[in-house]
Amino acid sequence: MAQNSEKKVETAPPTYEADDITVLEGLEPVRKRPGMYIGSTGPTGLHHLIWEVVDNSVDEAMAGHCDRIDVTLLADGGVRVTDNGRGIPTGIHKKYKGKSAAEVVLTVLHAGGKFGEGGGYKVSGGLHGVGVSVVNALSRRLKLEIDRDGDHHEMEFADGGNPTGPLKVTGPAPRGRTGTTVTFWPDGTIFEEIEFRAQTVVERLQIMAFLNKGLEIRFVDERSAGKDAQIFKYKDGIVDFVRHLNVSKESLFRKVAYFERKEDDMEVEVALQWNTGFYESIHSFANGISTGDGGMHEDGFRTALTTVTNKYARLKGTLKEKDDNLLGEDIREGLTAIISVRLQEPQFEGQTKGKLGNTPVRSLVQRATNEKLAEWFEENPREANQIIQKSIMAARARVAARSARDLTRRKSALDGAGLPGKLVDCSSRDPRQSELFIVEGNSAGGSAKDARDPKTQAILPIRGKILNVERARIDKMLKNTEIQALISAIGAGLADDFDVSKIRYHKIIILADADVDGSHIRTLLLTFFFRQMKALVEGGFVYVAQPPLYSTLVGKEKIYLKDDAAKAAFLAEHPNHKSDFQRLKGLGEMDFGELKDTTMDRGQRSLLQVAVEQAAIADEVCSVLMGEDVELRRNFIQTNAKDVRFLDI
Ligand code: 0RA
């Protein structure tokens, strides 16, 4: 801060000195405590800069003045966001004498929305909506371009928001064009790293396009050659979003239900459809910001969905007087829904600020759903009946699962520990030092048994392909012997009953081949953990190990290379390497020495080579598990990047 002021006073043109001090004071707190404004200085905070700038353009679109936004990751590390809105006002601002309104927007905290003229309500995200001045404060350079009133204006800022000169007209605007372009280069002294991740940006932009029907958002990554623009534009908004989420699933019927309701200072839009699967996938947003922990809007929706469905089922006689009501969870089985609300001052609560706290929203969504979904059921009796039939099946499975679970509990009480017969357990009873290797097939299990450290390493061989829990209800799952073995070996229950404090091992390691079959079994296991023992994944207890593809000798030492890329890298580093490369067979054919060297002995450096690319694993699971469910995928990749770890020494 003091340091900045000095630097600024030294370099700024004299006429700008006085003004600059105010500006510096204005943005100083942001540079001093970036976390307060953007959450963190890690990757999340870094990407926040883009969301902030794009949000401003989206606001302009929501006000009806803009229908196209271009986001470009530049080869030099900058980001350019262009819109075709009205352009930030360029006139001299009354309050800040001598400064253009545009300069004020870029240099004064929270100045962005202050110019919004009346008429309609201005909605802006809570965490976002801190203003583009925050982006300026955290950039080493920012360039502003405005096309307005036939002129092209430019202004630049350096080292955290210091103007390098006033806003200037540099030429005519392109034929009748209006709009704003903000290009910024994040400050490397503030952020831990300043490289943007294209996938993160793309997924977010796509969601923004879904939530703002008709808005065209284009993305280009100029950092890699030959990448075409990705264009997101959805005529039907969140209806398209629901279709997109269900694309890799089998939908129960073709139609997507949609309704909306506007009241003086808030509005809600809901789209929903069911698939033949068994999991619910409800995504909610407030002012375009994902509310991953739900909140008032979701509560209102869930309550009304349960009421409306039971009412309809009784009205039509599908549920008889003697029948119990369907539970919410029965009705939500296979449901994909988007709930998007807009309101004036959203309150984001909870630890991760992912929960909407505004109470009036609950009533709005509940009333809207009660009324409009009842209408939709009346207008679409065939679909309504399919939903109810599916809910009834879910209710039956729920009852069956309860007795199956009771049975499992009784059984394990009788069998003492109730451990599965094929588990080769370790002798330690301390979960913190115990590891469970889940190994595909009996022969691999045999080698693993010989290679292990019997004190801390347990082996559970499983038959080729376990049940795909994505396609099975819980009652069926509980009858499956491989699943039973997993549940009892891990020892902490299942689904709602899962208690992570009871797990018998703090490392649960999936050991499967690098081939297609191995990848399939790994995916099935990860799916099982993700769906039925989520706390295991979230707590970082799940690991993935994979044997390397190659070995070669360097002198007398055997070196293992994970894949073709590792082999190529090794050859590049050792151009004079003469020894042959051994292509290792699958786990089943590896002898215990090889297995020990590559996957199970933490004393050996080569252990590192079992790790496969994190992103590849995440993608593999995601594509099977979540299909195109971008939001879920993103969450999972984040969880996964942190929590599905790779054996490390
Ligand atoms: C304040 C007033 C007006 C437009 C904007 C701000 C505006 C800001 C941004 C930020 C990115 N793109 C933007 N586009 C517009 C409207 C002033 C008027 O013409 O009445």
mmCIF file of all heavy atoms in Angstrom, residues 442-477:
data_model
loop_
_atom_site.group_PDB
_atom_site.id
_atom_site.type_symbol
_atom_site.label_atom_id
_atom_site.label_comp_id
_atom_site.label_asym_id
_atom_site.label_seq_id
_atom_site.Cartn_x
_atom_site.Cartn_y
_atom_site.Cartn_z
ATOM 1 N N ASN A 442 -9.006 -62.869 -8.639
ATOM 2 C CA ASN A 442 -8.337 -63.641 -7.599
ATOM 3 C C ASN A 442 -6.834 -63.767 -7.786
ATOM 4 O O ASN A 442 -6.081 -63.780 -6.821
ATOM 5 C CB ASN A 442 -8.957 -65.036 -7.508
ATOM 6 C CG ASN A 442 -10.327 -64.960 -6.849
ATOM 7 O OD1 ASN A 442 -10.542 -64.104 -5.979
ATOM 8 N ND2 ASN A 442 -11.253 -65.816 -7.267
ATOM 9 N N SER A 443 -6.367 -63.855 -9.065
ATOM 10 C CA SER A 443 -4.932 -64.051 -9.266
ATOM 11 C C SER A 443 -4.159 -62.811 -8.831
ATOM 12 O O SER A 443 -3.132 -62.909 -8.159
ATOM 13 C CB SER A 443 -4.617 -64.410 -10.712
ATOM 14 O OG SER A 443 -5.239 -63.486 -11.566
ATOM 15 N N ALA A 444 -4.690 -61.631 -9.195
ATOM 16 C CA ALA A 444 -4.048 -60.399 -8.742
ATOM 17 C C ALA A 444 -4.090 -60.325 -7.225
ATOM 18 O O ALA A 444 -3.133 -59.921 -6.572
ATOM 19 C CB ALA A 444 -4.734 -59.189 -9.352
ATOM 20 N N GLY A 445 -5.220 -60.791 -6.672
ATOM 21 C CA GLY A 445 -5.373 -60.807 -5.226
ATOM 22 C C GLY A 445 -4.280 -61.648 -4.577
ATOM 23 O O GLY A 445 -3.740 -61.281 -3.532
ATOM 24 N N GLY A 446 -3.947 -62.766 -5.228
ATOM 25 C CA GLY A 446 -2.913 -63.657 -4.707
ATOM 26 C C GLY A 446 -1.549 -62.986 -4.661
ATOM 27 O O GLY A 446 -0.865 -63.010 -3.632
ATOM 28 N N SER A 447 -1.149 -62.364 -5.787
ATOM 29 C CA SER A 447 0.147 -61.657 -5.819
ATOM 30 C C SER A 447 0.164 -60.543 -4.790
ATOM 31 O O SER A 447 1.149 -60.333 -4.088
ATOM 32 C CB SER A 447 0.400 -61.018 -7.180
ATOM 33 O OG SER A 447 0.183 -61.942 -8.188
ATOM 34 N N ALA A 448 -0.971 -59.834 -4.713
ATOM 35 C CA ALA A 448 -1.048 -58.708 -3.784
ATOM 36 C C ALA A 448 -0.886 -59.199 -2.347
ATOM 37 O O ALA A 448 -0.228 -58.556 -1.525
ATOM 38 C CB ALA A 448 -2.372 -57.976 -3.944
ATOM 39 N N LYS A 449 -1.438 -60.367 -2.082
ATOM 40 C CA LYS A 449 -1.331 -60.926 -0.740
ATOM 41 C C LYS A 449 0.139 -61.171 -0.394
ATOM 42 O O LYS A 449 0.589 -60.882 0.723
ATOM 43 C CB LYS A 449 -2.128 -62.229 -0.676
ATOM 44 C CG LYS A 449 -2.238 -62.773 0.725
ATOM 45 C CD LYS A 449 -2.995 -64.077 0.771
ATOM 46 C CE LYS A 449 -2.767 -64.729 2.133
ATOM 47 N NZ LYS A 449 -3.330 -66.070 2.199
ATOM 48 N N ASP A 450 0.899 -61.686 -1.360
ATOM 49 C CA ASP A 450 2.317 -61.956 -1.116
ATOM 50 C C ASP A 450 3.143 -60.678 -1.023
ATOM 51 O O ASP A 450 4.162 -60.638 -0.359
ATOM 52 C CB ASP A 450 2.884 -62.841 -2.236
ATOM 53 C CG ASP A 450 2.265 -64.229 -2.199
ATOM 54 O OD1 ASP A 450 1.856 -64.660 -1.094
ATOM 55 O OD2 ASP A 450 2.166 -64.860 -3.264
ATOM 56 N N ALA A 451 2.714 -59.648 -1.747
ATOM 57 C CA ALA A 451 3.516 -58.422 -1.820
ATOM 58 C C ALA A 451 3.249 -57.490 -0.645
ATOM 59 O O ALA A 451 4.004 -56.577 -0.376
ATOM 60 C CB ALA A 451 3.206 -57.686 -3.126
ATOM 61 N N ARG A 452 2.169 -57.716 0.067
ATOM 62 C CA ARG A 452 1.727 -56.723 1.048
ATOM 63 C C ARG A 452 2.541 -56.747 2.339
ATOM 64 O O ARG A 452 3.268 -57.692 2.633
ATOM 65 C CB ARG A 452 0.262 -56.988 1.398
ATOM 66 C CG ARG A 452 0.138 -58.221 2.279
ATOM 67 C CD ARG A 452 -1.286 -58.578 2.590
ATOM 68 N NE ARG A 452 -1.312 -59.709 3.509
ATOM 69 C CZ ARG A 452 -2.070 -59.770 4.597
ATOM 70 N NH1 ARG A 452 -2.861 -58.773 4.907
ATOM 71 N NH2 ARG A 452 -2.040 -60.837 5.369
ATOM 72 N N ASP A 453 2.346 -55.717 3.114
ATOM 73 C CA ASP A 453 2.835 -55.702 4.488
ATOM 74 C C ASP A 453 1.652 -56.145 5.348
ATOM 75 O O ASP A 453 0.676 -55.403 5.496
ATOM 76 C CB ASP A 453 3.270 -54.274 4.853
ATOM 77 C CG ASP A 453 3.596 -54.131 6.331
ATOM 78 O OD1 ASP A 453 3.390 -55.106 7.099
ATOM 79 O OD2 ASP A 453 4.041 -53.041 6.717
ATOM 80 N N PRO A 454 1.707 -57.366 5.884
ATOM 81 C CA PRO A 454 0.519 -57.922 6.540
ATOM 82 C C PRO A 454 0.062 -57.128 7.762
ATOM 83 O O PRO A 454 -1.081 -57.250 8.206
ATOM 84 C CB PRO A 454 0.949 -59.332 6.953
ATOM 85 C CG PRO A 454 2.415 -59.385 6.808
ATOM 86 C CD PRO A 454 2.849 -58.281 5.906
ATOM 87 N N LYS A 455 0.944 -56.313 8.287
ATOM 88 C CA LYS A 455 0.556 -55.540 9.467
ATOM 89 C C LYS A 455 -0.467 -54.459 9.097
ATOM 90 O O LYS A 455 -1.455 -54.269 9.797
ATOM 91 C CB LYS A 455 1.804 -54.890 10.071
ATOM 92 C CG LYS A 455 1.537 -54.203 11.399
ATOM 93 C CD LYS A 455 2.834 -53.934 12.144
ATOM 94 C CE LYS A 455 2.565 -53.227 13.457
ATOM 95 N NZ LYS A 455 2.212 -51.818 13.292
ATOM 96 N N THR A 456 -0.220 -53.759 7.991
ATOM 97 C CA THR A 456 -1.056 -52.594 7.691
ATOM 98 C C THR A 456 -1.851 -52.709 6.393
ATOM 99 O O THR A 456 -2.707 -51.876 6.124
ATOM 100 C CB THR A 456 -0.189 -51.326 7.575
ATOM 101 O OG1 THR A 456 0.781 -51.547 6.552
ATOM 102 C CG2 THR A 456 0.499 -51.015 8.886
ATOM 103 N N GLN A 457 -1.541 -53.713 5.573
ATOM 104 C CA GLN A 457 -2.202 -53.764 4.265
ATOM 105 C C GLN A 457 -3.144 -54.952 4.150
ATOM 106 O O GLN A 457 -2.731 -56.097 4.313
ATOM 107 C CB GLN A 457 -1.149 -53.792 3.154
ATOM 108 C CG GLN A 457 -0.312 -52.507 3.134
ATOM 109 C CD GLN A 457 0.718 -52.478 2.017
ATOM 110 O OE1 GLN A 457 1.377 -53.482 1.752
ATOM 111 N NE2 GLN A 457 0.861 -51.329 1.372
ATOM 112 N N ALA A 458 -4.396 -54.656 3.871
ATOM 113 C CA ALA A 458 -5.405 -55.698 3.688
ATOM 114 C C ALA A 458 -5.754 -55.796 2.204
ATOM 115 O O ALA A 458 -5.640 -54.822 1.468
ATOM 116 C CB ALA A 458 -6.648 -55.353 4.492
ATOM 117 N N ILE A 459 -6.158 -56.991 1.786
ATOM 118 C CA ILE A 459 -6.496 -57.193 0.372
ATOM 119 C C ILE A 459 -7.934 -57.697 0.264
ATOM 120 O O ILE A 459 -8.311 -58.653 0.938
ATOM 121 C CB ILE A 459 -5.578 -58.277 -0.267
ATOM 122 C CG1 ILE A 459 -4.099 -58.031 0.041
ATOM 123 C CG2 ILE A 459 -5.843 -58.385 -1.771
ATOM 124 C CD1 ILE A 459 -3.503 -56.813 -0.605
ATOM 125 N N LEU A 460 -8.695 -57.056 -0.593
ATOM 126 C CA LEU A 460 -10.039 -57.566 -0.891
ATOM 127 C C LEU A 460 -10.136 -57.819 -2.393
ATOM 128 O O LEU A 460 -10.262 -56.885 -3.179
ATOM 129 C CB LEU A 460 -11.120 -56.573 -0.452
ATOM 130 C CG LEU A 460 -12.555 -57.036 -0.704
ATOM 131 C CD1 LEU A 460 -12.919 -58.241 0.144
ATOM 132 C CD2 LEU A 460 -13.553 -55.906 -0.460
ATOM 133 N N PRO A 461 -10.038 -59.105 -2.789
ATOM 134 C CA PRO A 461 -10.191 -59.385 -4.217
ATOM 135 C C PRO A 461 -11.676 -59.322 -4.568
ATOM 136 O O PRO A 461 -12.511 -59.809 -3.804
ATOM 137 C CB PRO A 461 -9.657 -60.811 -4.378
ATOM 138 C CG PRO A 461 -9.525 -61.371 -3.005
ATOM 139 C CD PRO A 461 -9.822 -60.320 -1.986
ATOM 140 N N ILE A 462 -11.988 -58.686 -5.679
ATOM 141 C CA ILE A 462 -13.387 -58.690 -6.088
ATOM 142 C C ILE A 462 -13.507 -59.262 -7.490
ATOM 143 O O ILE A 462 -12.587 -59.165 -8.293
ATOM 144 C CB ILE A 462 -14.029 -57.287 -6.033
ATOM 145 C CG1 ILE A 462 -13.140 -56.275 -6.740
ATOM 146 C CG2 ILE A 462 -14.314 -56.859 -4.618
ATOM 147 C CD1 ILE A 462 -13.877 -55.007 -7.034
ATOM 148 N N ARG A 463 -14.659 -59.826 -7.739
ATOM 149 C CA ARG A 463 -14.948 -60.434 -9.028
ATOM 150 C C ARG A 463 -15.018 -59.315 -10.073
ATOM 151 O O ARG A 463 -15.520 -58.224 -9.775
ATOM 152 C CB ARG A 463 -16.292 -61.154 -8.928
ATOM 153 C CG ARG A 463 -16.565 -62.172 -9.979
ATOM 154 C CD ARG A 463 -17.704 -63.104 -9.514
ATOM 155 N NE ARG A 463 -18.691 -62.394 -8.683
ATOM 156 C CZ ARG A 463 -19.793 -61.818 -9.160
ATOM 157 N NH1 ARG A 463 -20.056 -61.805 -10.445
ATOM 158 N NH2 ARG A 463 -20.646 -61.221 -8.337
ATOM 159 N N GLY A 464 -14.501 -59.582 -11.236
ATOM 160 C CA GLY A 464 -14.454 -58.629 -12.355
ATOM 161 C C GLY A 464 -15.283 -57.373 -12.214
ATOM 162 O O GLY A 464 -14.810 -56.359 -11.727
ATOM 163 N N LYS A 465 -16.535 -57.447 -12.609
ATOM 164 C CA LYS A 465 -17.342 -56.226 -12.633
ATOM 165 C C LYS A 465 -18.320 -56.226 -11.466
ATOM 166 O O LYS A 465 -19.155 -57.117 -11.358
ATOM 167 C CB LYS A 465 -18.125 -56.143 -13.955
ATOM 168 C CG LYS A 465 -17.240 -56.133 -15.192
ATOM 169 C CD LYS A 465 -16.614 -54.771 -15.423
ATOM 170 C CE LYS A 465 -15.422 -54.812 -16.366
ATOM 171 N NZ LYS A 465 -15.761 -55.142 -17.737
ATOM 172 N N ILE A 466 -18.237 -55.198 -10.645
ATOM 173 C CA ILE A 466 -19.243 -55.109 -9.588
ATOM 174 C C ILE A 466 -20.525 -54.526 -10.172
ATOM 175 O O ILE A 466 -20.540 -53.999 -11.282
ATOM 176 C CB ILE A 466 -18.777 -54.265 -8.371
ATOM 177 C CG1 ILE A 466 -18.685 -52.781 -8.709
ATOM 178 C CG2 ILE A 466 -17.480 -54.809 -7.808
ATOM 179 C CD1 ILE A 466 -18.771 -51.874 -7.499
ATOM 180 N N LEU A 467 -21.560 -54.602 -9.394
ATOM 181 C CA LEU A 467 -22.859 -54.060 -9.808
ATOM 182 C C LEU A 467 -22.755 -52.556 -10.096
ATOM 183 O O LEU A 467 -22.110 -51.830 -9.350
ATOM 184 C CB LEU A 467 -23.847 -54.300 -8.654
ATOM 185 C CG LEU A 467 -25.273 -53.808 -8.834
ATOM 186 C CD1 LEU A 467 -26.032 -54.752 -9.750
ATOM 187 C CD2 LEU A 467 -25.961 -53.735 -7.472
ATOM 188 N N ASN A 468 -23.368 -52.115 -11.174
ATOM 189 C CA ASN A 468 -23.418 -50.678 -11.442
ATOM 190 C C ASN A 468 -24.521 -50.048 -10.582
ATOM 191 O O ASN A 468 -25.697 -50.162 -10.888
ATOM 192 C CB ASN A 468 -23.695 -50.425 -12.927
ATOM 193 C CG ASN A 468 -23.719 -48.937 -13.242
ATOM 194 O OD1 ASN A 468 -23.505 -48.099 -12.365
ATOM 195 N ND2 ASN A 468 -23.976 -48.616 -14.500
ATOM 196 N N VAL A 469 -24.112 -49.391 -9.522
ATOM 197 C CA VAL A 469 -25.105 -48.866 -8.573
ATOM 198 C C VAL A 469 -25.906 -47.715 -9.159
ATOM 199 O O VAL A 469 -26.922 -47.312 -8.616
ATOM 200 C CB VAL A 469 -24.466 -48.424 -7.235
ATOM 201 C CG1 VAL A 469 -23.769 -49.605 -6.582
ATOM 202 C CG2 VAL A 469 -23.512 -47.258 -7.423
ATOM 203 N N GLU A 470 -25.423 -47.199 -10.282
ATOM 204 C CA GLU A 470 -26.157 -46.139 -10.956
ATOM 205 C C GLU A 470 -27.468 -46.682 -11.525
ATOM 206 O O GLU A 470 -28.418 -45.954 -11.718
ATOM 207 C CB GLU A 470 -25.266 -45.577 -12.070
ATOM 208 C CG GLU A 470 -25.611 -44.198 -12.540
ATOM 209 C CD GLU A 470 -25.451 -43.120 -11.487
ATOM 210 O OE1 GLU A 470 -24.780 -43.361 -10.463
ATOM 211 O OE2 GLU A 470 -26.023 -42.036 -11.686
ATOM 212 N N ARG A 471 -27.466 -47.975 -11.817
ATOM 213 C CA ARG A 471 -28.629 -48.590 -12.445
ATOM 214 C C ARG A 471 -29.332 -49.589 -11.526
ATOM 215 O O ARG A 471 -29.999 -50.497 -11.994
ATOM 216 C CB ARG A 471 -28.211 -49.301 -13.749
ATOM 217 C CG ARG A 471 -27.502 -48.436 -14.775
ATOM 218 C CD ARG A 471 -28.335 -47.301 -15.341
ATOM 219 N NE ARG A 471 -29.698 -47.669 -15.683
ATOM 220 C CZ ARG A 471 -30.687 -46.791 -15.844
ATOM 221 N NH1 ARG A 471 -30.460 -45.499 -15.689
ATOM 222 N NH2 ARG A 471 -31.881 -47.192 -16.164
ATOM 223 N N ALA A 472 -29.124 -49.472 -10.234
ATOM 224 C CA ALA A 472 -29.765 -50.431 -9.333
ATOM 225 C C ALA A 472 -30.297 -49.716 -8.102
ATOM 226 O O ALA A 472 -29.653 -48.815 -7.585
ATOM 227 C CB ALA A 472 -28.779 -51.503 -8.919
ATOM 228 N N ARG A 473 -31.471 -50.130 -7.663
ATOM 229 C CA ARG A 473 -32.006 -49.556 -6.436
ATOM 230 C C ARG A 473 -31.310 -50.184 -5.244
ATOM 231 O O ARG A 473 -30.726 -51.254 -5.325
ATOM 232 C CB ARG A 473 -33.514 -49.793 -6.343
ATOM 233 C CG ARG A 473 -34.312 -48.822 -7.163
ATOM 234 C CD ARG A 473 -35.718 -48.683 -6.599
ATOM 235 N NE ARG A 473 -36.497 -47.746 -7.388
ATOM 236 C CZ ARG A 473 -37.291 -48.095 -8.399
ATOM 237 N NH1 ARG A 473 -37.392 -49.349 -8.758
ATOM 238 N NH2 ARG A 473 -37.975 -47.179 -9.049
ATOM 239 N N ILE A 474 -31.444 -49.520 -4.117
ATOM 240 C CA ILE A 474 -30.679 -49.901 -2.938
ATOM 241 C C ILE A 474 -31.001 -51.324 -2.449
ATOM 242 O O ILE A 474 -30.121 -52.033 -1.970
ATOM 243 C CB ILE A 474 -30.860 -48.842 -1.818
ATOM 244 C CG1 ILE A 474 -29.822 -49.044 -0.718
ATOM 245 C CG2 ILE A 474 -32.271 -48.822 -1.280
ATOM 246 C CD1 ILE A 474 -29.492 -47.777 0.034
ATOM 247 N N ASP A 475 -32.245 -51.766 -2.642
ATOM 248 C CA ASP A 475 -32.584 -53.122 -2.186
ATOM 249 C C ASP A 475 -31.800 -54.171 -2.969
ATOM 250 O O ASP A 475 -31.304 -55.143 -2.408
ATOM 251 C CB ASP A 475 -34.102 -53.374 -2.274
ATOM 252 C CG ASP A 475 -34.659 -53.080 -3.663
ATOM 253 O OD1 ASP A 475 -34.130 -52.174 -4.334
ATOM 254 O OD2 ASP A 475 -35.621 -53.750 -4.063
ATOM 255 N N LYS A 476 -31.628 -53.910 -4.278
ATOM 256 C CA LYS A 476 -30.878 -54.837 -5.129
ATOM 257 C C LYS A 476 -29.389 -54.793 -4.759
ATOM 258 O O LYS A 476 -28.699 -55.812 -4.732
ATOM 259 C CB LYS A 476 -31.079 -54.434 -6.591
ATOM 260 C CG LYS A 476 -30.489 -55.409 -7.588
ATOM 261 C CD LYS A 476 -30.914 -55.057 -9.004
ATOM 262 C CE LYS A 476 -30.043 -55.743 -10.033
ATOM 263 N NZ LYS A 476 -30.096 -55.047 -11.317
ATOM 264 N N MET A 477 -28.931 -53.579 -4.481
ATOM 265 C CA MET A 477 -27.536 -53.370 -4.114
ATOM 266 C C MET A 477 -27.158 -54.204 -2.897
ATOM 267 O O MET A 477 -26.115 -54.821 -2.827
ATOM 268 C CB MET A 477 -27.391 -51.886 -3.760
ATOM 269 C CG MET A 477 -26.222 -51.196 -4.346
ATOM 270 S SD MET A 477 -26.294 -49.473 -3.858
ATOM 271 C CE MET A 477 -27.502 -48.801 -4.936
#
